[in-house]
Amino acid sequence: MTPRRETAKAQDGVLTEMPMRFGEDPLLWAAWLYYEDGMTQGDIAKKMGLSRASVNAYLADARTRGLVNIEIEPDRFRAVSIAVALKERFDLQDCLVIPSEGGERSLTERLGAAGAQALRRVMRPGDTLAVTWGRTVLAVADALSHPGLDDLRVVQATGSTTARIPWTPETCASRIAQALHASWVPISAPAIVSDPALRRDLLNQPLLAEQVAVLAEANRILMGVSSMRPESTIHTSGFLDSADHHRDYPDAVASIVGRLVSARGAAVTGPVNDRTIGIDLEALRRIPQRIAVAGGIDKIAAILAVLRGRFANVLVTDAATARGILKADGWQESPRRPALASATPGSAQIRSHAKKLFNAPQDAVDESLAGALTAHGAIIGPVPETSRAVMALDGPREGKVGIVIGGGSGHEPGFWGYVGKGCADAAVIGNIFAAPPPGPILAASRAVNRGAGLLYIYGNFSGDVMNFDMAAEMAGAEGVEVRSVVTTDDIASSPPDARGSRRGVAGNVFVFKIAGAAADMGASLSECEAITRRAAARVYTMGLALEPARLPDTRQPSFELGPEDMELGVGVHGEPGMVRHKLVPADDAADMLLDRILQEMNPARGDKVAVLVNSLGGTPAMELYILTRRIGQRLRAKGIILHRTLVGPYYTSLDMEGVSLTLLHLDDELVTYLDHPCQSAALTITARP
Amino acid sequence: MRPLAAADLTDLFRLMAARIDAERLALGALDGAIGDADHGNSMAEGFSALAHACAEAESRGVATGDLFAIAAHAFLGAVGATTGPLYASAFLQAGQRFAGQVTIDPVDLTEILGDFSEAIAQRGKASPGDKTMLDVWTPAARAVAEARSKGSGAIARLDAAVAAAIEGREATRAMVAAAGRAARLGPRTLGHVDPGAASAAIIIVALRDGMTAFFARGSK
């Protein structure tokens, strides 16, 4: 935990600059200079004005306190450099940056504690503190305890709001007043009144006039920052009930003190402005010290706007938010070690312009599809009226549901590899990593429709959803009944509670197989849809990339990955993944993928699974089998039965080096469909002995 | 001032196609940072197909106002992807405004920004602030409407749209993607310009430049 080293600086009454949160901690400074900046102990002693022996003692102390633990706790040190960067860039009096994660408490609670700490440091006898409202402000109140100072006043910065939220202006201000043992001055009026004349009349009431006069005397203000997202405080508190922010305040990205601010930091005025009772932005800027306590990724744009407008001059936030604010404002983090800095830029050049067997890159998709038809002409044939779809020769038949699959190309043998008897009836492909247009989807639909309806199956990408939806509407207009199943197996792409927004990737292979079997065995459209949905709900994929894919026309990597890095949760389109990680050995990589999947799948001993160890294009069989070996060991140890194992390039991403692991959590019915014989270019299953 | 004929509208589309093509790699690189790097290609292929189809239709004597629907189908057929349905919807909605018109008044043409903004919002189901092309189309459309209410002419309206578009494009740097493919990356999208916003700004600048050239030709 944070070494608490309150500096014994005399309270000088007038606040100039409060000490940087970690800036006066010599122990931390010394560790920083030594471990991060690579300075010698002698240099550090000179720089800090200490003896070499004390530097040595500090470093030893830092190690024993766990401050330095082979690696230095990165967030804490980042906090220092980030706080400095924010302070300089936005001309802040001070900036306190806490680590973004730690312990059980929520970010709001932790920011509240940091805000309380900042407030305790700055409050002086005789101060008048204005207070706004919101979750974070209330969290400050919760964390605040103070012995009390003479003649403190806390005043509400705005009128009151509806009581449907726990963090109303009156609650926040009164709680802060209580914690500071200060006298509390409410603003005895609603924050928003129905018309400007009423506001004038109210402000002429002696009681309110007196309270507002106190507000005008505030020398500090404590405030939260609200974004304009639908779930933000400015909306939930009913502040803008009478206004539509997109219509009335289209430029607003942030809200403070119930007033709105644009991305440039300008005040945004609208219909509620002259109906608001409370401090306005101009008066706010006249308050000498304006402390904003706010954090969270969703608030970055809002906090940046507030800083650009100079509406706050002290910021309490967390490291991730602080980095986000700086990054959004165009700040470049300086490389932490010179050795890394020289290694990174050159490496991208070395790997660019891969050698490729292409004719004209723009012909690659059509030519490879033509090759597939050449190689697998016994299984698939062309679809009339389009060059971008194939159909099963021995697939569609009267009374059988037609299975139409598809997506962008670049995933070969996806999608044409899964067309054939007992599998999909047609596959439609788009340009590289781009959804096919509705035209070829409709052409394929017409070609395989035999009167029993069609089932579209594709991965969850906005382009695929829009194009397949348009095609389904067009097919529907021609009297063909179409149902759609959108696959969402990529567990890295969204948390479990947002499964619906996950991508659909290699798990498609199992889902296509199950759907094809159901149709082949004579299931109705509704039955096909139901079993396909069940398969889609029970399939989990997680990927990792060692090198990004390189696109045919540029032959350049689609994103950059450092020489010692791998990317976890990588997308099949060469999208960057969710987390960058140091390269690890094969068994550790297998464990990382498997553990995440098992955590969600939660299988019982004796459960059956189907496993796909999939190459993303550039990883050879040797590595795939090394991973397969480890996955087998782990599953056996858990008492889980590997019913079927697929290993190879089943669903690729051009030449991306990397793998994905897919597990299908089987049940008896899924076993039947999975074992049903099929013959397609990429997957052939014969009856089990 | 003479109105726009089919050849003039085709010229505008050609200019858009050329500008997008010139930025193909840059758009791909922007997309590579937060998406799948195909945006430059999709847009370039779509606009190229659209310009060809319109040139071909114009030579067949198709009315100016009907070129939008032709553009829509050409774009969608060539691209698919995410941009296909979005821009196809945009061109279709703009086409409804001018359907059957033999010529188009230049001032009326500026109204397509509003059409684009509405159609894209409806098809893509994104909101302003989600870090998408809408963060350019919406403020640009609004700028045109504001300039119109002040009685500004076509070029002044488009100048306002360009200023708003560029500002909108830059504002996407501070946004965390909430829609489309980049949404999965969340905070990692910070600091990056959204590729869809960047290409939208190119189209709007091309429209303004093309119209400026049109007026310059007309006054000779």
Side-chain angles (χ1 to χ4, degrees), chain A residues 404-429:
Chain A
V404 178
I405 61 174
S409 56
H411 305 302
E412 291 71 23
F415 293 86
W416 49 257
Y418 305 99
V419 174
K421 181 164 172 53
C423 231
D425 293 288
V428 193
I429 58 162

Side-chain angles (χ1 to χ4, degrees), chain B residues 37-128:
Chain B
D38 78 326
H39 188 69
N41 285 339
S42 290
M43 289 298 287
E45 278 162 35
F47 268 90
S48 158
L50 171 163
H52 278 119
C54 288
E56 195 266 338
E58 176 223 320
S59 70
R60 280 188 280 122
V62 169
T64 313
D66 293 338
L67 289 180
F68 284 96
I70 287 167
H73 290 118
F75 193 105
L76 183 60
V79 173
T82 313
T83 44
L86 293 175
Y87 277 107
S89 306
F91 277 101
L92 280 176
Q93 181 146 339
Q96 279 167 16
R97 177 182 293 278
F98 302 116
Q101 273 184 231
V102 177
T103 60
I104 294 174
D105 186 305
V107 168
D108 291 346
L109 187 72
T110 62
E111 296 296 312
I112 66 170
L113 278 97
D115 297 332
F116 272 48
S117 166
E118 266 177 42
I120 289 168
Q122 209 179 352
R123 174 64 68 184
K125 300 187 174 66
S127 305

